[in-house]
Amino acid sequence: INGRSKFSNEFIQSLDPKIEVVFDNQKLIFRTGNGRLLWRAKSLSTEEPLMSSWISSMTPDDVVLDIGANVGMYSIPMAKKSRIVYACELDPLNVAILRENMYFNSSTGNVVVLPFASGDSSKIVNVSFRDLSYGDALQSIEGCDPLATKLGLRAHSAHVVQFPLDDLFVLLDLHRPNKIKIDVDGNERAVLAGTSKLLCGAREIYFEDGRTPACADFVSFLIRNDFVEVSREEQLANNDERLLVYTKLFIKSD
């Protein structure tokens, strides 16, 4: 099964690893094939309870922008509840799995993939990847506050297209999001620089706060623009119960 013969290639091609899970009383199907993808699917309802309740509250009138969509673990259930989801993801490997997950869940009609980095300007940026693996995270755009993490054997950097989402939504005349999810693993300043107008125009923002200076700047921006934190949860490390991040929900005050 090393892919060096016709038989092994036919065998590999015949494999179709998927898992069915229930989220918000709906059956969803996700691509697996490695331990990380399997974990993401199996922990969908338990990893971020605040996210689960936020998605459950969505309505068919909502337009959602998911920045840091990964393989669509949250984009897909969001699409089941809302009008449309814009899923922004910079890792091409993750985008491939995201597309499969959209197909498996009949969501190709109301999920729009934005397969690039979100930043302050339209250009090619250098992104550091900690490995070459489907479902990976913690990529760093131009060295933006890289988080302490274990690098894999195939850690590398690569050129990735970047666009400011504020400009892109105007250029393509896209629906403005009233709900935005931000989970960008140290790239908060880059995202903020190109998304400030969309953020200010949103009603609700779900933010993963990694307790870094960049995250503090992001939260300060939200507070200055009349957002109020209405809920938060701790995310702990599985092995030693260390506090890793907070997940926070902000709502625009009237």
Side-chain angles (χ1 to χ4, degrees):
I1 60 172
N2 58 14
R4 296 172 186 169
S5 71
K6 181 177 179 180
F7 171 79
S8 63
N9 275 276
E10 292 295 331
F11 174 76
I12 293 168
Q13 187 170 291
S14 70
L15 299 176
D16 190 25
K18 296 191 294 284
I19 187 172
E20 185 178 281
V21 299
V22 176
F23 183 90
D24 195 28
N25 297 316
Q26 293 193 75
K27 291 183 179 180
L28 302 174
I29 300 171
F30 293 102
R31 168 66 69 209
T32 59
N34 68 30
R36 183 178 294 107
L37 293 176
L38 179 62
W39 168 78
R40 289 192 183 283
K42 294 181 73 172
S43 64
L44 177 62
S45 297
T46 58
E47 177 67 11
E48 296 186 28
L50 181 58
M51 173 63 78
S52 298
S53 62
W54 188 50
I55 293 176
S56 295
S57 73
M58 292 181 178
T59 73
D61 293 326
D62 286 326
V63 175
V64 187
L65 172 57
D66 183 356
I67 305 179
N70 202 274
V71 297
M73 300 310 304
Y74 296 125
S75 299
I76 300 302
M78 286 174 180
K80 296 295 185 182
K81 302 283 290 187
S82 62
R83 177 182 177 187
I84 191 170
V85 176
Y86 297 104
C88 185
E89 172 58 36
L90 61 77
D91 189 333
L93 293 182
N94 290 345
V95 169
I97 302 298
L98 169 57
R99 276 285 290 114
E100 289 194 78
N101 289 335
M102 289 164 56
Y103 174 80
F104 295 149
N105 294 283
S106 303
S107 297
T108 56
N110 67 329
V111 177
V112 177
V113 181
L114 306 178
F116 47 75
S118 171
D120 64 342
S121 58
S122 300
K123 60 182 181 181
I124 302 297
V125 292
N126 196 50
V127 176
S128 298
F129 297 84
R130 65 175 184 171
D131 209 336
L132 188 67
S133 176
Y134 295 108
D136 206 4
L138 303 177
Q139 302 91 349
S140 176
I141 303 172
E142 300 283 13
C144 286
D145 287 357
L147 302 180
T149 182
K150 182 179 179 181
L151 297 179
L153 296 176
R154 295 177 290 183
H156 65 287
S157 61
H159 291 151
V160 174
V161 174
Q162 174 184 275
F163 291 109
L165 291 177
D166 282 340
D167 294 349
L168 190 78
F169 270 66
V170 173
L171 178 66
L172 300 181
D173 194 25
L174 303 180
H175 300 290
R176 301 302 188 271
N178 65 315
K179 296 186 177 180
I180 300 177
K181 172 207 147 207
I182 309 283
D183 180 0
V184 292
D185 299 330
N187 298 300
E188 291 80 12
R189 288 193 177 105
V191 170
L192 179 59
T195 319
S196 59
K197 294 178 183 177
L198 289 174
L199 289 167
C200 289
R203 176 65 182 170
E204 298 179 10
I205 295 174
Y206 183 97
F207 179 57
E208 183 174 286
D209 185 345
R211 304 183 300 133
T212 65
C215 287
D217 289 346
F218 197 98
V219 170
S220 295
F221 171 85
L222 296 181
I223 293 172
R224 289 197 308 270
N225 287 278
D226 301 321
F227 284 92
V228 177
E229 181 186 324
V230 295
S231 187
R232 72 163 62 184
E233 285 185 341
E234 296 181 347
Q235 297 292 112
L236 306 177
N238 292 327
N239 53 351
D240 57 11
E241 296 297 303
R242 287 178 297 110
L243 175 63
L244 295 179
V245 301
Y246 289 108
T247 53
K248 299 179 177 180
L249 180 61
F250 293 85
I251 294 181
K252 191 110 174 187
S253 59
D254 296 324

